[in-house]
Each structure stands twice: as C-alpha cells, then as structure tokens.
Amino acid sequence: MLAKVLSSAVLGVDAYLVAVEVDIALGLPTFNTVGLPDVAVKESRDRVKAAIKNSGFEFPAKRITVNLAPADIKKEGAAFDLPTAVGILAAEDLVRPDRLSHLVILGELSLDGSVRPIRGALSMAVAAREIGLEGILVPVENAAEAAVVDGLAVYGVASLQHAVALLNGEQAVSPTRVDLEATFAVSADYTVDFNDVKGQEHAKRALEVSAAGGHNILLIGPPGSGKTMLARRLPTILPTLSLEEAISTTKIHSICGLLSSGQALLATRPFRAPHHTISDAGLVGGGNIPRPGEVSLAHHGVLFLDELPEFKRHVLEVLRQPLEDGQVTIARAVASLTYPARFMLAAAMNPCPCGYATDPVKECSCTPLQIQRYLARISGPLLDRIDIHIDVPPLKHRELGGEPSGESSAVIRERVQRARQIQQERFRRSKVYCNAQMSTRQIRKHCQVEGEAKSLLELAMDRLGLSARAYDRILKVARTVADLEGAEGVQASHIAEAIQYRSLDRGLRR
C-alpha cells in the first residue's frame, strides 16, 4: 500500500516542493522516516500516531516507511505532520487519492489531532502557484497569509478530521479570500508621526532628504536630544509599500515566525532596532541552521543601530556587504543561501564617551584622546556607506514647553514619493532604485555642476578638507535635494545643503 502526498519546505526565503511518500507493508510495527529529516521531523511519528488515534481513526500496526523527496536536502520543522498523517490514512484507503496530486498539504499536529500554525506559509503558497497546482491546505491561522497569492485556492483546516473530510468531499469548504486593498488600508498605519516631535527642524529635513534618496543617515547628539525618537519615525515618511515589496517582506517575517495569527500581510515598512550586544550571526543571519538576520528582517524598511560605537567592531564590519549589495549570502558546506537585505541604515551616537562634547550647557569631561578612540570604533569603510551625518542639538526649554507645530508624516511622505518617482524615471533602464545607489558613472551623468555650484563645491573641498569619498556623497545628496524641489539640475543651494550633512567630515572626527 503506497500513497503520495505533496508538501513543501523553505530553503532560504523561497520554498520547494516535497513529496511525502508513505509505504505500509506487513511486518513488525515500525515507523521510519527517511530523506534527511531533522530531529523535529523524526519526532513527528509520535505526534502523528497520537493525532490519528485521537481523531477517531485506527493507526495501522504495520511497518510504515515515510520518504521525504528530494532526499538530498535536509528537512526541518513540523510542517510535515499533517501530510504524513494524510498519507498514512490514504495508504489505508481512508482518504480519496484523486485530490492529493493537486494540493500541497502543510501543518503541525497536536496530540488531539488539531492543526497548529507553521512558518513560511506564504513562500510555500508562492511555490505551489509557480508549479501550477490547484491549491494548498494550511492551518486556519495561516490561511489569510497564503491567500495573498493570487490564482491559488487556499483551504484553512483546524484538525486532521477536518482535513480528511475536505479531501473526501464530505465537507464543503470555500477557499479563503483576502481583500488586499482593505488589508493595506487597515494595516498600513503607523503608531508614531513626525508631528509628535518638537523642534529639531534641521534634523527632520535631513531625515526627509535621507528618505527621498534612500541615503543612510547618522544622527549625532548628546543624550536626550531626540535621536531615537526621530529615527523611529523614519519609516513613516518612506514611500508606501507596493504589493510586491509587501510580499517579499512578509515572506521573511513568516519564515521567522513573526507574523501574528491570522495576519495576511506586513503592510508597513519594518523598523528593526537590535541591541548593541547582538552577534554577527544575529545581525546578518546564519547559525547551524541558517536563519535571516536583522538586516533581512529590515528588508524594504529601516535598520536602526542606537549607540553605534557600542556595537562590536567585527559585528559592524559585516554590514558592509549587505549595504553594498542589498543581500546577504550565507555559505555552508551543504548549501549557499541568499537572503534579501535592501534596507536603509539609520544610526545614532553620542559625540563622545560622556555624551556632552557638543552640548552648549553641560561640560564635557572627556579628553581629546578619549574622544578620538571613541569615534575610531566606527571604521572608515562603514562611514563611507553613510551619506548623511547630522548634528542633533539638545532642545531648549521653550521648545519643550510649546505645542508640536511640525508637518505630519503624511505631508512629508507625499514630497518623498514625488522625489522617488523622479528617480524611478531617471533610472528606469538600470537596476538602481534611488540616488544613494548611483555608481560613479551615473554620478557624472546626473550630478553635473556648473558655475557657482562648482565653485562652492571646490571651496568646500579645500577649506573643510573633505575627502574624495565625501565628494561623491555630497553630489548624491545634492541630487536628492534637487529632486525634492523638482529642479532639473544641481544648483549651488543644493550643494550648500548637502555640505551641511557631513558633520564628521567637517571636523568632529578629526
């Protein structure tokens, strides 16, 4: 007696089809699983046996062999519980085999036969659609997530009995439907807003420029000046997530089990703020069983590193490749996995160890050597990938006592989206998505400066001692400032504003 059930597993952020083959033969009662199963998959035999019995079916006292094909890829997780149980019942002629070749079946079983949610349902639904299958059978909690995939019938089941009744046609179940427009309208709402912030107009403007051009930003200021508060509002002014971006971001969060029960999509841009004690594997991904790191969880969103110099130096250095390539590649002996990591880096730091080097009221107690060592914790190659350095001064008492009077995030986001549309049109024939990603050749083409603007830039290079790398950064930021104003070319006022966003180059680091 042989039965075959289609299931799926995740490798990286994408899924692949797994055939769960069940053979039941006469002999001593045994239950063996082959096909490179991990510990969780091997333990499924006890869950499956108890779930079948407690669901009112008879578990066969025979020799049972379960093969997970392809057999050369390691299988992990508990999502094979439900397809294994269905395969055993199908081999015993308790489940009709006609629909098994058209449906992907996924789910973890409890001992009472109920079906528990799994990770990566969205990726598996995408894989099922690409193969051309009719539909997918998933736990009820994952049904909305999988139903985001258009052109695929998604059935949510609550128990093994429910799944058997559906497969045998004994119970009519309508496929789960998701209204994507309604989902975006309900979910695309941030709990914070830029008009919550009092004062700091210069820093708000820098964040607007950062969002408009996709520039990484570093906020420098004494404790309590509002650096973290400003950074947490950066996602609210980024362009609204497209459906394609939402799906790719949701896939990563689904794999990590970060979606709430019944959540269909992640409709707001993610904001990740790991603690400075994080390891390099936690930041970029890895481990014995590779998992996405914080840079991938921040895909299409913001990665915020507070107290930047407190992070271990080798941890910060592993950021260089994701910032450059927009992805992370984790190489292991058995496989090489690639996770997307196209994020904006926002970082905050004090100007010195005590924090008050730039405070006009409180006196700094640090020596020049201590300040130099503190700033040297951030390497030049990492700073080279941060386009904007902005000072965030402490607020005055009258600013703290007044009512917030700044613009809302929605108003700023409209300007940012207009600037991004200009950039999309400019780079439509290349793989560049925003000004921050321009190559040297593209800088020469799109950031030409003449007359007064050229003279101002040359004067800044000479008088302020700016480096060659700062030269390109200034041109990129100036191009973004021009886009925000809708200007065709880069003018002197745009160059002047961009120069103001290079605090470390203007002397603090020296």
Side-chain angles (χ1 to χ4, degrees), residues 163-462:
V164 171
L166 188 150
L167 292 169
N168 288 336
E170 299 169 358
Q171 184 174 347
V173 178
S174 300
T176 302
R177 304 292 182 189
V178 172
D179 187 343
L180 291 178
E181 291 186 5
T183 301
F184 267 95
V186 173
S187 302
D189 184 30
Y190 295 93
T191 58
V192 295
D193 197 281
F194 253 80
N195 60 13
D196 301 332
V197 183
K198 298 178 181 179
Q200 302 294 10
E201 300 304 325
H202 183 50
K204 290 180 184 178
R205 170 64 178 178
L207 287 167
E208 180 181 342
V209 174
S210 171
H215 303 286
N216 301 319
I217 186 169
L218 175 61
L219 304 169
I220 309 163
S225 57
K227 303 186 296 295
T228 303
M229 187 177 186
L230 285 163
R232 289 189 179 278
R233 283 151 180 78
L234 180 56
T236 68
I237 62 173
L238 291 173
T240 306
L241 274 176
S242 65
L243 178 59
E244 182 182 354
E245 289 176 330
I247 289 177
S248 63
T249 303
T250 305
K251 285 168 66 174
I252 301 171
H253 284 248
S254 174
I255 291 167
C256 295
L258 298 178
L259 293 183
S260 58
S261 179
Q263 184 177 4
L265 268 181
L266 195 69
T268 56
R269 292 191 180 271
F271 179 87
R272 304 295 300 182
H275 192 260
H276 60 77
T277 56
I278 192 171
S279 65
D280 50 357
L283 189 61
V284 300
N288 292 331
I289 300 175
R291 296 292 186 197
E294 291 291 335
V295 297
S296 296
L297 291 171
H299 185 53
H300 292 313
V302 175
L303 176 68
F304 177 53
L305 303 183
D306 202 2
E307 303 296 342
L308 185 64
E310 301 301 330
F311 284 79
K312 298 181 182 67
R313 188 181 181 94
H314 73 275
V315 172
L316 291 178
E317 292 308 302
V318 298
L319 278 175
R320 288 157 58 177
Q321 187 240 344
L323 285 171
E324 196 74 26
D325 301 336
Q327 63 183 22
V328 175
T329 301
I330 300 172
R332 292 291 183 269
V334 294
S336 180
L337 304 179
T338 299
Y339 296 110
R342 191 169 296 282
F343 62 93
M344 278 184 59
L345 175 64
M349 61 178 286
N350 296 328
C352 66
C354 78
Y356 299 108
T358 59
D359 195 305
V361 178
K362 296 185 179 181
E363 185 177 353
C364 175
S365 59
C366 304
T367 65
L369 181 59
Q370 287 176 323
I371 296 176
Q372 183 180 2
R373 286 177 176 173
Y374 180 75
L375 296 176
R377 294 180 187 177
I378 310 169
S379 69
L382 180 60
L383 277 177
D384 190 30
R385 289 161 173 81
I386 301 177
D387 294 346
I388 297 177
H389 318 148
I390 186 70
D391 291 321
V392 184
L395 288 176
K396 299 178 181 178
H397 292 295
R398 63 173 180 270
E399 292 176 314
L400 289 171
E403 290 293 326
S405 58
E407 295 177 314
S408 68
S409 294
V411 173
I412 301 174
R413 185 166 59 243
E414 288 181 6
R415 294 199 295 267
V416 169
Q417 290 191 145
R418 287 197 297 268
R420 285 290 185 104
Q421 288 170 359
I422 293 173
Q423 294 165 46
Q424 289 174 4
E425 179 64 23
R426 177 183 300 137
F427 304 123
R428 66 183 183 278
R429 295 179 181 175
S430 65
K431 294 183 179 180
V432 174
Y433 302 97
C434 55
N435 288 336
Q437 300 170 359
M438 282 193 290
S439 64
T440 304
R441 179 178 297 179
Q442 290 167 328
I443 292 174
R444 289 199 300 266
K445 180 179 179 181
H446 301 295
C447 304
Q448 295 181 359
V449 289
E450 302 290 343
E452 186 181 355
K454 186 175 182 180
S455 301
L456 179 60
L457 185 55
E458 291 174 352
L459 181 64
M461 294 293 293
D462 293 337

